Amino acid sequence: MANRNRYRPSMKFKKKLLGGGALVVLVGLNAPAVVSFATEKYHAYKIAQPGYKQRYGSWETLDVPKKYRTNAIHAALLHSGKVLIIAGSGNNQKKFDKGSFDTILWNPADNSFRKIPTPEDFFCSGHSQLADGRLLVAGGTARYEVLDGEVDRAGGRMRVKNEDPDRAHTFKKGTRFRAPSGVEFVSKFDVTVPRAKKDFKVSYGQGGRMLPWKTKVTAGEARVFVEAAEKGPQGLRTQAAQYEIVGLKGRDADNLYGIAQKLTTEKQDFQGIRSAYEFDPRAEKYIPVDPMEEARWYPTLVTLDDGKVLAVSGLDDVGAVLTGDNELYDPKTKKWSKGPSRYFPTYPALFLTQGGKLFYSGSNAGYGPAEKGRRPGLWDLKANTFSEVGGLTDLDQTETSASVMLPPVQDQRVMLFGGGGVGESSKATGRTAIIDLKQDNPAFREGPRLPQGTRYLSSVLMPDDSVFTTGGSSDYRGRNASDILKAQFYDPKSNTFRRAADPTVGRNYHSEALLLPDGRVVTFGSDPLFGDADNTKLGTFEQRVEIYTPPYLQGDKGRKENRPALGEGPREVAPNGRATFRTARPDRIAKARLMRPSAVTHTTDVEQRSVDLKLSKGTGTRRDSVTVEVPKDRAVVPPGWYMLFVTNAQGVPSEAKWIKVK
């Protein structure tokens, strides 16, 4: 794919480079190709120069052995320093049909890789960092979508009823439901229907005489996706009807039945799963925990101040956006419970704020109607109230936007970058917006604009308090060769962007970026719809991995001996919130930050946050030490593992030390 944003040399330079008789003839035969070749050669020469790297940074492509290349859909940094790259079926239906699911564990310290057995299809799941360092992964794919025009069997939601108060019933995949007309529908998944509830009501007549009990039976209910057993229009149903379950007899036939409102040949969306797992960084394996009550595909998982995790939104087991059935995971019991009800589009960007409320920036990644759940606001979980905030322009273009809580988190400012129209819209905006949640009646105000309208932008908090943004495209899934090979830093203090080196790999849908413990940034993935500018060839998933080395690690200032460094120290913050580390040169240390590790997918990373720490330097016999103090408010610093960076006066960071906050 051509890079439209590369440096173009002057005509004077081109004439010098292409001078000479033989080259003149060649130019006459194929001038555009030669000029393009010369331009690329000059660009490659320019970005390799030390002065360029020290000003803009540099990119390198990671050498990933073929057997470990995968379609990176999710990426999470673990407190072992390794990166978990989750593909699941990787948006590849052939792999889904084969039950072939991928997870790769990459160690940046020695560039080693390991395949992790993956028990279910975690494609488009949600994830959150737990307090003990495990990664909670919940939801994923039960069934791939079938597009309009490709649905050859009527299908939809079947509500299975159970009026038996004595026991639940399980129906295996393939169970048949027969309509009054005789047309049969087949279930696509196992379904367990809970037993009916029996309530007794006592009433009294004249003189206080107790009357016979009245019994009320409320049928148990579960839902399952069904398809017509035969192809063709005869399976279409537009009115509610009751369906008998084929094979049942006697009392079971009376108590168990199906009800469907509408069975059609319209587009059938992806369907979610209920499964949940914890990935253990020590054992390096997935460990199953209790499943969610609701199936979820495209959910957001966000850690709360008490260490519990809230699962929000997603497509359910029949492909419908959940209407507000959110739930809470307790890492102590490994179980889920009902959470506060609130509707959001899929993958909503929700940030834990001071006081424990969640702020919804308006960023989301896809499914849901354009007129519902798109407005940003503060969500009080305890009262279950939602207060909308104003000021955001291009409100119709928050889908596929990026959001971060600006560093440091104590400032309580959230920034939104770019975004596009709902669904397959070609709209893209260069708008950025910032909101200060400490203000009375907070509202967004416009920030500096991106160089162009951008969807799928990756945004990464850096140890020097800047925000690194990279990639994206100006059209839906990189359509029309619209990948943006640009990167920049946002400076919260000056409220300006500054240029960074251009990446060489385009990143749009299904791409990720995250901060590594050594201060570099790694980028994965990209799932373009087409592979050419004319949209005539199908795109292929981008499996190359690129690493960006920022200017602060270039030249002499980036040498290990010149960087600030932390030596021996604790692995856990003390009850008083303090931690003391040895350091040979405390004079080099100006600031300290706790950086929460990323768990990112679909431009959604609600985990990352940068915490400003109080810093004091040792005296007397402890002059070779520094002490950091962590805020006690767990809404500011949720429990878990963090990277501890110290920086010098020029913003050059140390390598991170991992430390646990209880």
Side-chain angles (χ1 to χ4, degrees), residues 1 70-75 86-87 89-92 122-125 141 143-145 147 267 269-271 297-299 315 346-347 364-368 399-401 419-425 454-458 470-484 505-513 523-530 539-544 600-604:
M1 186 178 295
T70 193
N71 294 358
I73 306 295
H74 313 265
I86 304 173
S89 58
N91 206 16
N92 183 325
F122 297 136
F123 170 56
C124 294
S125 60
T141 304
R143 185 174 185 266
Y144 268 61
E145 67 181 353
L147 301 176
K267 176 191 174 187
D269 274 318
F270 282 92
Q271 295 164 15
W297 187 87
Y298 264 52
L315 300 189
T346 54
Y347 280 136
N364 62 87
Y367 294 77
E399 193 169 291
T400 66
S401 62
V422 174
E424 298 185 15
S425 167
T454 308
R455 307 170 66 119
Y456 318 106
L457 186 71
S458 287
T470 182
S473 63
S474 60
D475 200 347
Y476 173 75
R477 288 186 64 178
R479 196 166 44 192
N480 301 308
S482 60
D483 280 353
I484 300 169
V505 179
R507 308 284 183 192
N508 53 70
Y509 183 54
H510 286 152
S511 63
E512 305 83 40
T523 62
F524 308 93
S526 190
D527 196 357
L529 194 60
F530 298 105
T540 57
F541 202 105
E542 179 57 72
Q543 294 187 338
R544 285 176 293 174
V600 57
T601 185
H602 294 74
T603 70
T604 305

Side-chain angles (χ1 to χ4, degrees), residues 569-583:
R571 294 275 286 171
E572 188 174 295
V573 174
N576 63 5
R578 295 178 181 176
T580 299
F581 292 84
R582 295 282 185 178
T583 179

